[in-house]
């Protein structure tokens, strides 16, 4: 009897355990009020363990890494025969488009360019460029990339664009990047691109074995604490060397030689007859060849880079200032050699003299603007790292010093005007012995 009772109790216990088993296996969160407090904890632990195991299985054998510039970050995850790249904005500037290329320079480098469209779709365009010009669609890229909209995010403070591409067998890659702030107005792969805000070259190391935490971090490279700077010291290309020479020569010509010639005239004209000789030597003999060579190198650099002439403000203003320089030289010659009757008879300073002075100040002021736009904006578009802030400091010092020196020289104007004023006639109806002389009392 006792044996039968024991068997009956054992059977009932088995039924209870069998009934409760599904809840403990994964549905413990939906248990009734009689469930033990440890049940959801046990279920959670089991779920976490299963998830971790699954993630480990996903990242097993995968490697990756990330690198950042000042505007965007790029991560790469190598998983067998494919690589997943994520480009993510790292700036407050509005995202227009992002691009990366597999090489160190823009010329003939295979690129993947992506941008979000107004309808929420994402365009992936594989392109190539023969130089520093807008890349065009590559009909036969060496590797075909595929957009991954599910891993991309086109909203939020740091939008990102993800794509996959067949692996090339390397984990250390030289890449180029570009960030544009103007979205193409067409989702087509051959849509026109507005020039990038900035670009550069980076080194992406994807050799790190991935843990679940690292894999999660690489999904958002802009916030990845393990991201490197990875700036690549790429040798200067021929057109970049021309740009540097252009910048140096134009800076010396427009911001050193021209102001020196103007200051010499401003201070020396009331003390020596030789001031005009020194003035034209600085403005034409010294500055002229330097300026012409600098502008010629700028034009040649555009040709060498296979870029487009006069496609931005810096290039347009450069030609305009160059023309103004020669107009100023011509006006200076007219001022000195062509004397209107208002001066020869009435001794009144002609209008052309004032125009010459105003023109000179205008050219130097525009040159200051042009030099700054060159090293602050134009240079960034060459694909090189930004210029050191030391250049900015020197520019600020110079833009204050030159006007201060020039306007301080205006204190000599009363002396200049006294020398230019004709003397009264003597009783003999002749000029006094200290009669007016064209030099130095005549002042251009």
């Amino acid at each position: 009897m006792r044996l039968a009772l024991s068997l009956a109790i054992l059977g009932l216990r088995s039924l209870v355990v069998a009934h409760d088993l599904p809840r403990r296996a994964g549905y413990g969160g939906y248990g009734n009020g009689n469930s033990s407090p440890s049940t959801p904890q046990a279920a959670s632990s089991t779920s976490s363990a299963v998830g971790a195991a699954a993630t480990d299985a996903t990242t097993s054998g995968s490697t990756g890494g990330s690198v950042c510039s000042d505007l965007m970050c790029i991560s790469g995850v190598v998983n067998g025969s494919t690589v997943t790249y994520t480009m993510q904005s790292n700036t407050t500037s509005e995202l227009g488009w992002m691009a990366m290329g597999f090489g160190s320079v823009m010329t003939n480098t295979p690129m993947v360019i992506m941008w979000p469209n107004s309808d929420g779709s994402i365009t992936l365009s594989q392109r190539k460029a023969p130089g520093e010009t807008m890349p065009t669609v590559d009909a036969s890229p060496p590797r075909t990339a595929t957009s991954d909209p599910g891993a991309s995010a086109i909203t939020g403070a740091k939008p990102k664009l993800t794509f996959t591409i067949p692996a090339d067998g390397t984990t250390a890659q030289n890449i180029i990047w570009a960030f544009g702030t103007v979205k193409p107005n067409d989702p087509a792969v051959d849509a026109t691109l507005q020039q990038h805000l900035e670009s550069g070259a980076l080194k992406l190391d994807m050799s790190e074995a991935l843990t679940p935490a690292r894999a999660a971090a690489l999904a958002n490279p802009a916030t990845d604490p393990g991201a490197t700077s990875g700036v690549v010291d790429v040798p200067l290309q021929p057109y970049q060397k021309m740009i540097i020479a252009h910048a140096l020569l134009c800076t010396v010509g427009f911001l050193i030689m021209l102001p020196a010639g103007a200051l010499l005239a401003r201070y020396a004209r009331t003390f020596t007859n030789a001031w005009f000789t020194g003035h034209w030597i600085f403005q034409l003999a010294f500055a002229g060849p330097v300026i012409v060579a600098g502008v010629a190198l700028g034009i040649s650099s555009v040709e060498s880079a296979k870029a487009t002439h006069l496609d931005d403000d810096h290039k347009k203003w450069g030609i305009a200032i160059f023309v103004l320089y020669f107009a100023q030289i011509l006006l200076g010659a007219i001022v000195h050699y062509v004397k209107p009757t208002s001066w020869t008879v009435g001794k009144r300073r002609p209008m052309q003299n004032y125009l010459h002075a105003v023109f000179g100040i205008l050219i130097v002021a525009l040159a200051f603007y042009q030099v700054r736009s060159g090293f602050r904006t134009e240079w960034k578009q060459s694909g090189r790292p930004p210029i050191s802030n030391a250049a900015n400091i020197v520019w600020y010092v110079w833009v204050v010093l030159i006007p201060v020196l020039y306007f301080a020289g205006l204190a000599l104007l009363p002396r200049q005007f006294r020398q230019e004023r004709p003397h009264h006639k003597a009783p003999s109806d002749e000029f006094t012995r200290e009669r007016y002389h064209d030099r130095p009392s005549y002042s251009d």
Side-chain angles (χ1 to χ4, degrees), residues 412-426:
L412 295 172
L413 279 176
R415 176 186 175 92
Q416 176 184 333
F417 291 153
R418 284 197 303 270
Q419 291 178 342
E420 293 177 357
R421 188 181 306 122
H423 295 278
H424 295 291
K425 292 182 179 181

Side-chain angles (χ1 to χ4, degrees), residues 43-355:
S44 176
S45 298
T46 303
S47 176
S48 299
V50 171
T55 307
D56 284 336
T58 302
T59 59
S60 177
S62 297
T63 60
S66 62
V67 64
C68 285
S69 69
D70 54 342
L71 294 184
M72 62 181 282
C73 296
I74 299 173
S75 67
V77 175
V78 183
N79 189 6
S81 60
T82 62
V83 185
T84 299
Y85 291 100
T86 297
M87 301 180 290
Q88 188 168 28
S89 172
N90 191 35
T91 177
T92 56
S93 299
E94 183 178 358
L95 171 62
W97 54 270
M98 290 188 286
M100 66 175 290
F102 302 97
S104 299
V105 296
M106 184 174 179
T107 303
N108 295 324
T109 290
M111 297 177 233
V112 175
I113 303 173
M114 301 179 70
W115 63 88
N117 299 302
S118 57
D119 61 358
S121 64
I122 296 173
T123 297
L124 184 149
S125 178
Q126 292 190 255
R127 303 194 182 197
K128 187 180 289 187
E132 294 294 314
T133 186
M134 188 188 81
T136 55
V137 174
D138 187 354
S140 301
R143 295 180 290 161
T144 301
T146 303
S147 176
D148 187 351
S152 302
I154 60 176
T155 59
K158 295 183 182 296
K160 60 181 180 178
L161 302 171
T162 301
F163 68 93
T164 59
I165 195 169
D168 63 358
T170 63
T171 55
Q173 296 179 337
N174 289 328
I175 60 173
I176 59 173
W177 63 272
F179 185 95
T181 56
V182 180
K183 293 180 182 178
N185 55 11
D186 191 338
V189 295
D190 61 349
T192 300
L193 299 176
Q194 296 296 317
Q195 190 168 23
H196 50 68
L197 176 64
E198 194 173 330
S199 63
L202 297 170
K203 184 85 169 182
L204 177 59
D205 183 2
M206 301 183 295
S207 62
E208 179 185 359
L210 297 185
T211 63
R214 285 296 294 135
L218 293 181
N220 291 283
T223 57
D224 177 18
T228 62
S229 60
V231 176
V232 178
D233 186 15
V234 180
L236 288 170
Q237 301 300 301
Y239 78 91
Q240 293 170 336
K241 294 178 181 179
M242 291 181 187
I243 292 174
I244 293 174
H246 155 78
L248 291 175
L249 289 175
C250 287
T251 299
V252 170
F254 280 105
L255 294 189
I256 294 180
M257 291 184 176
L258 291 189
L263 291 174
L264 184 149
R266 178 71 266 147
Y267 281 89
R269 67 200 314 155
T270 56
F271 297 100
T272 175
N273 291 336
W275 73 267
F276 179 75
T277 301
H279 178 64
W280 81 256
I281 287 175
F282 264 102
Q283 305 301 75
L284 181 60
F286 289 170
V290 173
I291 289 172
V292 170
V295 172
L297 282 168
I299 295 172
S300 297
S301 70
V302 176
E303 291 285 349
S304 177
K306 295 182 174 60
T308 304
H309 291 287
L310 303 179
D311 63 342
D312 61 32
D313 290 342
H314 183 80
K315 295 171 185 174
K316 294 173 183 176
W317 275 112
I319 297 299
I321 296 171
F322 188 57
V323 172
L324 285 176
Y325 165 72
F326 282 102
Q328 174 74 338
I329 294 296
L330 178 61
L331 182 57
I334 293 173
V335 166
H336 188 72
Y337 294 109
V338 179
K339 306 294 192 298
T341 55
S342 63
W343 175 259
T344 57
V345 177
K347 302 305 178 186
R348 295 192 301 273
R349 174 175 286 272
M351 181 60 65
Q352 62 197 36
N353 293 51
Y354 295 104
L355 287 177

